[in-house]
Coordinates of all heavy atoms in Angstrom, one line a residue:
D121 N -1.0 21.7 32.6 CA -2.3 21.2 32.9 C -2.1 20.3 34.2 O -1.1 19.7 34.6 CB -2.8 20.3 31.9 CG -3.5 21.1 30.8 OD1 -3.7 22.4 31.1 OD2 -4.1 20.6 29.8
E122 N -3.3 20.2 35.0 CA -3.4 19.4 36.1 C -3.4 18.0 35.6 O -3.9 17.6 34.6 CB -4.6 19.7 36.9 CG -4.6 21.1 37.5 CD -3.6 21.1 38.7 OE1 -3.3 20.2 39.3 OE2 -2.9 22.2 38.8
P123 N -2.9 17.0 36.4 CA -2.9 15.6 36.1 C -4.4 15.2 35.9 O -5.3 15.6 36.7 CB -2.3 14.9 37.3 CG -1.4 15.9 37.9 CD -2.0 17.3 37.7
G124 N -4.6 14.4 34.8 CA -5.9 13.9 34.6 C -6.7 14.8 33.7 O -7.8 14.4 33.1
A125 N -6.2 16.0 33.3 CA -7.0 17.0 32.4 C -7.1 16.3 31.1 O -8.2 16.5 30.4 CB -6.3 18.3 32.3
E126 N -6.1 15.6 30.7 CA -6.1 15.0 29.3 C -7.2 14.0 29.1 O -7.8 13.9 28.1 CB -4.7 14.5 28.8 CG -4.3 13.1 29.6 CD -3.8 13.4 31.0 OE1 -3.8 14.5 31.4 OE2 -3.4 12.5 31.7
A127 N -7.5 13.2 30.2 CA -8.4 12.2 30.2 C -9.8 12.8 30.0 O -10.7 12.3 29.3 CB -8.4 11.4 31.4
L128 N -10.1 14.0 30.7 CA -11.4 14.6 30.5 C -11.6 15.2 29.1 O -12.7 15.1 28.5 CB -11.4 15.8 31.6 CG -11.4 15.4 33.0 CD1 -11.3 16.7 33.9 CD2 -12.6 14.6 33.4
H129 N -10.5 15.8 28.5 CA -10.6 16.3 27.1 C -10.9 15.2 26.2 O -11.7 15.3 25.2 CB -9.3 17.0 26.8 CG -9.2 18.4 27.5 ND1 -10.2 19.5 27.4 CD2 -8.4 18.8 28.5 CE1 -9.8 20.4 28.2 NE2 -8.7 20.1 28.8
L130 N -10.1 14.1 26.3 CA -10.3 12.9 25.4 C -11.7 12.4 25.6 O -12.4 12.1 24.6 CB -9.3 11.8 25.8 CG -7.9 12.0 25.2 CD1 -7.0 10.9 25.8 CD2 -8.0 11.8 23.7
A131 N -12.2 12.3 26.8 CA -13.6 11.8 27.0 C -14.6 12.7 26.3 O -15.6 12.1 25.7 CB -13.9 11.7 28.5
A132 N -14.4 14.0 26.3 CA -15.4 14.9 25.7 C -15.4 14.7 24.1 O -16.4 14.7 23.5 CB -15.0 16.3 25.9
V133 N -14.2 14.6 23.5 CA -14.1 14.3 22.1 C -14.7 13.0 21.7 O -15.5 12.9 20.8 CB -12.6 14.3 21.6 CG1 -12.5 13.9 20.2 CG2 -12.0 15.8 21.8
E134 N -14.4 12.0 22.5 CA -15.0 10.6 22.1 C -16.4 10.6 22.4 O -17.3 10.0 21.7 CB -14.3 9.6 23.0 CG -12.8 9.3 22.6 CD -12.7 8.8 21.3 OE1 -13.6 8.2 20.7 OE2 -11.5 9.0 20.6
K135 N -16.9 11.4 23.4 CA -18.4 11.3 23.7 C -19.1 12.1 22.6 O -20.2 11.7 22.3 CB -18.7 12.1 25.1 CG -20.1 12.0 25.6 CD -20.2 12.6 26.9 CE -19.6 11.7 28.1 NZ -19.9 12.2 29.4
Y136 N -18.5 13.1 22.1 CA -19.3 13.8 21.0 C -19.4 12.8 19.8 O -20.3 12.8 19.0 CB -18.6 15.1 20.6 CG -19.4 15.8 19.6 CD1 -20.8 16.1 19.7 CD2 -18.8 16.2 18.4 CE1 -21.5 16.8 18.8 CE2 -19.6 17.0 17.4 CZ -20.9 17.2 17.6 OH -21.6 17.9 16.7
R137 N -18.4 12.0 19.5 CA -18.4 11.1 18.4 C -19.6 10.1 18.7 O -20.4 9.8 17.7 CB -17.1 10.2 18.3 CG -15.9 11.0 17.8 CD -14.7 10.1 17.7 NE -13.6 10.8 17.1 CZ -12.4 10.2 16.8 NH1 -12.3 8.9 17.3 NH2 -11.5 10.8 16.3
K138 N -19.7 9.7 19.9 CA -20.8 8.8 20.3 C -22.2 9.5 20.1 O -23.1 9.0 19.6 CB -20.6 8.4 21.6 CG -21.7 7.3 22.1 CD -21.4 6.9 23.6 CE -22.6 6.0 24.1 NZ -22.5 5.6 25.5
W139 N -22.1 10.8 20.5 CA -23.4 11.5 20.5 C -23.9 11.7 19.0 O -25.1 11.6 18.6 CB -23.2 12.9 21.1 CG -24.5 13.7 21.2 CD1 -25.4 13.8 22.3 CD2 -25.0 14.6 20.2 NE1 -26.4 14.6 22.1 CE2 -26.2 15.2 20.8 CE3 -24.7 15.0 19.0 CZ2 -27.0 16.0 20.1 CZ3 -25.4 16.0 18.3 CH2 -26.6 16.5 18.9
V140 N -22.9 12.0 18.1 CA -23.3 12.2 16.7 C -23.7 10.9 16.2 O -24.8 10.9 15.4 CB -22.0 12.6 15.9 CG1 -22.2 12.5 14.3 CG2 -21.6 14.1 16.3
E141 N -23.2 9.8 16.5 CA -23.6 8.5 15.9 C -25.0 8.1 16.4 O -25.8 7.6 15.6 CB -22.6 7.4 16.4 CG -22.9 5.9 16.0 CD -21.9 5.0 16.4 OE1 -20.7 5.4 16.8 OE2 -22.2 3.8 16.3
E142 N -25.3 8.4 17.7 CA -26.6 8.0 18.2 C -27.7 8.9 18.1 O -28.9 8.6 17.9 CB -26.4 7.7 19.8 CG -25.5 6.5 20.1 CD -25.5 6.3 21.5 OE1 -26.4 6.9 22.3 OE2 -24.6 5.4 22.0
I143 N -27.4 10.3 18.1 CA -28.3 11.3 18.1 C -28.5 12.1 16.8 O -29.6 12.5 16.4 CB -28.1 12.3 19.2 CG1 -27.8 11.6 20.5 CG2 -29.1 13.3 19.3 CD1 -29.0 10.9 21.1
D144 N -27.4 12.2 16.0 CA -27.3 13.2 14.9 C -26.9 12.6 13.6 O -26.1 13.2 12.9 CB -26.5 14.4 15.3 CG -26.8 15.6 14.5 OD1 -27.9 15.8 14.2 OD2 -25.8 16.4 14.1
T145 N -27.3 11.4 13.4 CA -27.0 10.7 12.1 C -28.3 10.3 11.4 O -29.1 9.5 12.1 CB -26.1 9.5 12.3 OG1 -24.8 10.0 12.9 CG2 -25.8 8.8 11.0
L146 N -28.6 10.6 10.3 CA -29.8 10.3 9.5 C -29.8 9.0 8.8 O -28.7 8.6 8.4 CB -30.2 11.4 8.5 CG -30.4 12.8 9.0 CD1 -30.7 13.7 7.7 CD2 -31.5 12.9 10.0
D147 N -30.9 8.2 8.9 CA -30.9 7.0 8.0 C -31.9 7.2 7.0 O -32.5 8.3 6.8 CB -31.3 5.8 8.9 CG -32.6 5.9 9.6 OD1 -33.5 6.6 9.2 OD2 -32.7 5.3 10.6
D148 N -32.1 6.3 6.0 CA -33.0 6.4 5.0 C -34.4 6.7 5.5 O -35.1 7.4 4.7 CB -33.0 5.1 4.1 CG -31.7 5.0 3.3 OD1 -30.9 6.1 3.2 OD2 -31.3 3.9 2.8
G149 N -34.9 6.0 6.5 CA -36.2 6.4 7.0 C -36.3 7.8 7.5 O -37.4 8.4 7.2
D150 N -35.3 8.4 8.1 CA -35.4 9.8 8.5 C -35.5 10.7 7.2 O -36.2 11.6 7.2 CB -34.1 10.2 9.2 CG -34.0 9.4 10.6 OD1 -34.9 9.1 11.2 OD2 -32.8 9.1 11.0
R151 N -34.7 10.4 6.2 CA -34.7 11.1 5.0 C -36.1 11.1 4.3 O -36.6 12.2 3.9 CB -33.7 10.7 4.0 CG -32.2 10.8 4.6 CD -31.2 10.3 3.5 NE -29.8 10.4 4.1 CZ -29.2 9.4 4.7 NH1 -29.8 8.2 4.7 NH2 -28.0 9.7 5.2
E152 N -36.7 10.0 4.4 CA -38.1 9.9 3.7 C -39.1 10.7 4.5 O -39.9 11.4 4.0 CB -38.4 8.4 3.6 CG -39.6 8.1 2.7 CD -39.2 8.4 1.3 OE1 -38.1 8.3 0.8 OE2 -40.3 8.8 0.5
S153 N -38.9 10.6 5.8 CA -40.0 11.3 6.7 C -39.7 12.8 6.6 O -40.8 13.6 6.5 CB -39.7 10.8 8.1 OG -40.1 9.4 8.2
I154 N -38.5 13.3 6.5 CA -38.2 14.7 6.3 C -38.9 15.2 5.0 O -39.6 16.3 4.9 CB -36.8 15.0 6.4 CG1 -36.3 14.8 7.8 CG2 -36.5 16.4 5.9 CD1 -34.8 14.9 7.9
K155 N -38.6 14.5 4.0 CA -39.2 14.9 2.6 C -40.7 14.9 2.6 O -41.3 15.8 2.0 CB -38.6 13.9 1.5 CG -37.2 14.1 1.2 CD -36.7 13.1 0.1 CE -35.2 13.3 -0.2 NZ -34.8 12.4 -1.3
K156 N -41.2 13.9 3.2 CA -42.7 13.9 3.3 C -43.3 15.1 4.1 O -44.3 15.7 3.7 CB -43.1 12.6 4.0 CG -44.6 12.4 4.1 CD -45.1 11.0 4.7 CE -46.5 10.8 4.8 NZ -46.8 9.5 5.4
H157 N -42.6 15.4 5.2 CA -43.1 16.6 6.0 C -42.9 17.8 5.2 O -43.8 18.7 5.3 CB -42.1 16.7 7.3 CG -42.4 17.9 8.1 ND1 -43.4 18.0 8.9 CD2 -41.8 19.1 8.2 CE1 -43.4 19.1 9.5 NE2 -42.4 19.8 9.0
L158 N -41.8 18.0 4.5 CA -41.6 19.2 3.7 C -42.7 19.3 2.7 O -43.2 20.5 2.3 CB -40.3 19.2 3.0 CG -39.0 19.3 4.0 CD1 -37.7 19.1 3.1 CD2 -39.0 20.6 4.7
N159 N -43.1 18.2 2.0 CA -44.1 18.3 1.0 C -45.4 18.8 1.5 O -46.3 19.3 0.8 CB -44.3 16.9 0.3 CG -43.1 16.5 -0.5 OD1 -42.4 17.4 -1.0 ND2 -42.9 15.2 -0.7
G160 N -45.6 18.6 2.8 CA -46.9 19.0 3.4 C -46.9 20.4 4.0 O -47.8 20.9 4.5
C161 N -45.7 21.1 3.9 CA -45.6 22.5 4.5 C -46.3 23.5 3.6 O -46.2 23.4 2.3 CB -44.1 22.8 4.6 SG -43.3 22.0 5.9
D162 N -47.0 24.5 4.2 CA -47.7 25.5 3.4 C -46.6 26.4 2.7 O -46.9 26.8 1.6 CB -48.6 26.3 4.3 CG -49.7 25.5 4.9 OD1 -50.2 24.5 4.2 OD2 -50.1 25.9 5.9
K163 N -45.6 26.7 3.4 CA -44.6 27.7 2.8 C -43.4 26.8 2.3 O -42.9 26.0 3.0 CB -44.1 28.7 3.9 CG -45.2 29.7 4.3 CD -44.7 30.6 5.4 CE -43.7 31.6 4.9 NZ -44.2 32.6 4.0
Q164 N -43.1 27.1 1.0 CA -42.0 26.5 0.4 C -41.0 27.6 -0.2 O -40.8 27.7 -1.3 CB -42.4 25.5 -0.8 CG -43.5 24.5 -0.3 CD -42.8 23.2 0.2 OE1 -41.5 23.1 -0.1 NE2 -43.5 22.4 0.8
P165 N -40.4 28.4 0.7 CA -39.7 29.5 0.3 C -38.5 29.2 -0.5 O -37.8 28.1 -0.3 CB -39.4 30.2 1.6 CG -39.3 29.2 2.7 CD -40.3 28.2 2.2
L166 N -38.1 30.0 -1.5 CA -36.9 29.9 -2.1 C -35.7 30.4 -1.2 O -35.8 31.6 -0.7 CB -36.8 30.7 -3.3 CG -35.5 30.7 -4.2 CD1 -35.1 29.3 -4.6 CD2 -35.5 31.6 -5.3
I167 N -34.8 29.5 -0.8 CA -33.7 29.9 0.0 C -32.4 30.2 -0.8 O -32.0 29.2 -1.6 CB -33.3 28.8 1.0 CG1 -34.5 28.3 1.8 CG2 -32.2 29.2 1.9 CD1 -35.1 29.4 2.8
S168 N -31.9 31.3 -0.9 CA -30.6 31.6 -1.5 C -29.4 31.4 -0.7 O -29.3 32.1 0.4 CB -30.7 33.1 -1.9 OG -31.7 33.4 -2.8
V169 N -28.7 30.4 -1.0 CA -27.4 30.1 -0.3 C -26.4 30.9 -0.9 O -26.1 30.9 -2.0 CB -27.1 28.6 -0.4 CG1 -25.7 28.3 0.3 CG2 -28.2 27.7 0.2
V170 N -25.8 31.9 -0.1 CA -24.8 32.8 -0.6 C -23.4 32.4 0.0 O -23.2 32.2 1.1 CB -25.2 34.2 0.1 CG1 -24.1 35.3 -0.2 CG2 -26.6 34.6 -0.5
M171 N -22.5 32.4 -1.1 CA -21.2 32.0 -0.7 C -20.1 32.7 -1.6 O -20.1 32.7 -2.7 CB -21.0 30.5 -1.0 CG -19.7 29.9 -0.7 SD -19.5 28.2 -0.8 CE -19.3 28.0 -2.6
P172 N -19.3 33.5 -0.9 CA -18.1 34.1 -1.5 C -17.0 33.1 -1.7 O -16.8 32.2 -0.8 CB -17.7 35.2 -0.6 CG -18.1 34.7 0.8 CD -19.4 33.9 0.5
V173 N -16.3 33.1 -2.8 CA -15.2 32.2 -3.0 C -13.9 32.9 -3.3 O -13.9 33.8 -4.2 CB -15.6 31.2 -4.2 CG1 -14.4 30.4 -4.6 CG2 -16.8 30.3 -3.8
Y174 N -12.8 32.4 -2.7 CA -11.5 32.9 -3.1 C -10.5 31.8 -2.9 O -10.1 31.6 -1.7 CB -11.1 34.2 -2.4 CG -9.7 34.8 -2.9 CD1 -9.7 35.3 -4.1 CD2 -8.6 34.6 -2.1 CE1 -8.4 35.8 -4.6 CE2 -7.4 35.1 -2.6 CZ -7.3 35.7 -3.9 OH -6.1 36.1 -4.4
N175 N -10.1 31.1 -3.8 CA -8.9 30.2 -3.8 C -9.1 29.1 -2.7 O -8.1 28.8 -2.1 CB -7.6 30.9 -3.6 CG -7.2 31.7 -5.0 OD1 -7.7 31.3 -6.1 ND2 -6.3 32.6 -4.8
P176 N -10.2 28.5 -2.5 CA -10.3 27.4 -1.6 C -9.6 26.2 -2.1 O -9.4 26.0 -3.4 CB -11.8 27.2 -1.3 CG -12.4 27.5 -2.8 CD -11.6 28.7 -3.2
P177 N -9.1 25.3 -1.2 CA -8.5 24.1 -1.8 C -9.6 23.4 -2.7 O -10.9 23.4 -2.4 CB -8.3 23.2 -0.4 CG -8.1 24.3 0.6 CD -9.1 25.3 0.2
E178 N -9.2 22.7 -3.7 CA -10.1 22.2 -4.7 C -11.0 21.1 -4.1 O -12.2 21.2 -4.3 CB -9.2 21.5 -5.8 CG -10.1 20.7 -6.9 CD -9.3 20.3 -8.0 OE1 -8.1 20.5 -8.0 OE2 -9.8 19.6 -8.9
R179 N -10.5 20.3 -3.2 CA -11.3 19.3 -2.6 C -12.5 19.9 -1.7 O -13.6 19.5 -1.8 CB -10.5 18.4 -1.7 CG -11.2 17.4 -0.8 CD -10.4 16.8 0.2 NE -11.2 16.3 1.4 CZ -10.6 16.0 2.5 NH1 -9.3 15.9 2.7 NH2 -11.4 15.6 3.5
F180 N -12.1 21.0 -1.0 CA -13.1 21.6 -0.1 C -14.1 22.3 -0.9 O -15.3 22.3 -0.5 CB -12.4 22.7 0.7 CG -11.4 22.1 1.8 CD1 -10.5 22.9 2.5 CD2 -11.4 20.7 2.1 CE1 -9.7 22.3 3.5 CE2 -10.4 20.2 2.9 CZ -9.6 20.9 3.7
L181 N -13.7 22.9 -2.0 CA -14.7 23.7 -2.9 C -15.8 22.6 -3.5 O -17.0 22.9 -3.4 CB -14.0 24.3 -4.0 CG -14.9 25.1 -5.0 CD1 -15.8 26.2 -4.3 CD2 -14.0 25.8 -6.1
R182 N -15.3 21.5 -3.9 CA -16.2 20.4 -4.5 C -17.2 20.0 -3.4 O -18.3 19.8 -3.6 CB -15.4 19.3 -5.1 CG -14.8 19.6 -6.4 CD -14.2 18.4 -7.1 NE -13.6 18.8 -8.4 CZ -14.2 18.9 -9.5 NH1 -15.5 18.7 -9.5 NH2 -13.6 19.2 -10.6
E183 N -16.6 19.8 -2.2 CA -17.4 19.2 -1.1 C -18.5 20.2 -0.6 O -19.5 19.9 -0.3 CB -16.5 18.8 0.1 CG -15.6 17.5 -0.2 CD -14.8 17.1 0.9 OE1 -14.7 17.8 2.0 OE2 -14.1 16.1 0.8
V184 N -18.1 21.5 -0.6 CA -19.1 22.5 0.0 C -20.3 22.6 -1.1 O -21.4 22.6 -0.7 CB -18.4 23.8 0.3 CG1 -17.9 24.5 -1.0 CG2 -19.5 24.7 1.0
I185 N -19.9 22.6 -2.3 CA -20.9 22.7 -3.4 C -21.8 21.4 -3.4 O -23.1 21.5 -3.3 CB -20.3 22.8 -4.8 CG1 -19.6 24.2 -4.8 CG2 -21.4 22.8 -5.8 CD1 -18.9 24.4 -6.1
D186 N -21.2 20.3 -3.2 CA -22.0 19.0 -3.1 C -22.9 19.0 -1.9 O -24.0 18.5 -1.9 CB -21.0 17.8 -3.1 CG -20.5 17.6 -4.4 OD1 -21.0 17.9 -5.4 OD2 -19.3 16.9 -4.5
S187 N -22.4 19.6 -0.7 CA -23.3 19.6 0.4 C -24.5 20.4 0.3 O -25.5 20.1 0.9 CB -22.5 20.2 1.7 OG -22.4 21.6 1.6
V188 N -24.6 21.4 -0.6 CA -25.8 22.1 -1.0 C -26.5 21.4 -1.8 O -27.9 21.3 -1.8 CB -25.5 23.5 -1.5 CG1 -26.6 24.3 -2.0 CG2 -24.7 24.4 -0.5
R189 N -26.0 20.7 -3.0 CA -26.8 20.0 -4.0 C -27.4 18.7 -3.2 O -28.4 18.2 -3.7 CB -25.8 19.5 -5.1 CG -25.3 20.6 -5.9 CD -24.5 20.2 -7.0 NE -25.5 19.6 -8.1 CZ -25.4 18.3 -8.6 NH1 -24.4 17.4 -8.2 NH2 -26.3 17.9 -9.3
N190 N -26.9 18.2 -2.1 CA -27.5 17.1 -1.4 C -28.5 17.4 -0.4 O -28.9 16.6 0.4 CB -26.3 16.3 -0.8 CG -25.4 15.6 -1.7 OD1 -25.7 15.4 -2.8 ND2 -24.1 15.5 -1.2
Q191 N -28.9 18.7 -0.3 CA -29.9 19.1 0.6 C -31.3 18.3 0.3 O -31.8 18.2 -0.8 CB -30.3 20.6 0.5 CG -29.1 21.4 1.1 CD -28.8 21.2 2.5 OE1 -29.7 21.4 3.4 NE2 -27.6 20.7 2.8
L192 N -31.9 18.0 1.5 CA -33.2 17.3 1.4 C -34.4 18.2 0.9 O -35.4 17.8 0.2 CB -33.6 16.6 2.7 CG -32.7 15.5 3.2 CD1 -32.8 15.1 4.5 CD2 -32.6 14.3 2.2
Y193 N -34.2 19.5 1.2 CA -35.1 20.5 0.8 C -34.6 21.0 -0.5 O -33.4 21.4 -0.7 CB -35.2 21.7 1.8 CG -36.2 22.8 1.3 CD1 -37.5 22.6 1.3 CD2 -35.7 24.0 1.0 CE1 -38.3 23.6 0.9 CE2 -36.5 25.0 0.6 CZ -37.9 24.8 0.5 OH -38.7 25.8 0.2

Side-chain angles (χ1 to χ4, degrees):
D121 276 359
E122 292 295 321
E126 71 279 4
L128 295 175
H129 290 296
L130 275 172
V133 173
E134 292 297 336
K135 186 173 288 186
Y136 186 54
R137 287 182 175 180
K138 180 181 178 183
W139 189 91
V140 169
E141 181 180 343
E142 294 185 11
I143 308 295
D144 201 35
T145 300
L146 299 180
D147 59 28
D148 289 342
D150 295 329
R151 296 181 183 95
E152 194 64 32
S153 296
I154 290 172
K155 290 180 179 179
K156 183 178 180 180
H157 175 82
L158 292 173
N159 290 335
C161 289
D162 293 333
K163 293 177 71 68
Q164 303 275 341
L166 177 64
I167 307 291
S168 299
V169 180
V170 170
M171 184 176 77
V173 170
Y174 184 74
N175 289 340
E178 180 175 355
R179 171 193 157 191
F180 294 169
L181 180 56
R182 289 188 178 277
E183 288 182 357
V184 69
I185 296 174
D186 286 337
S187 77
V188 176
R189 296 190 68 236
N190 291 334
Q191 289 298 301
L192 297 173
Y193 181 71

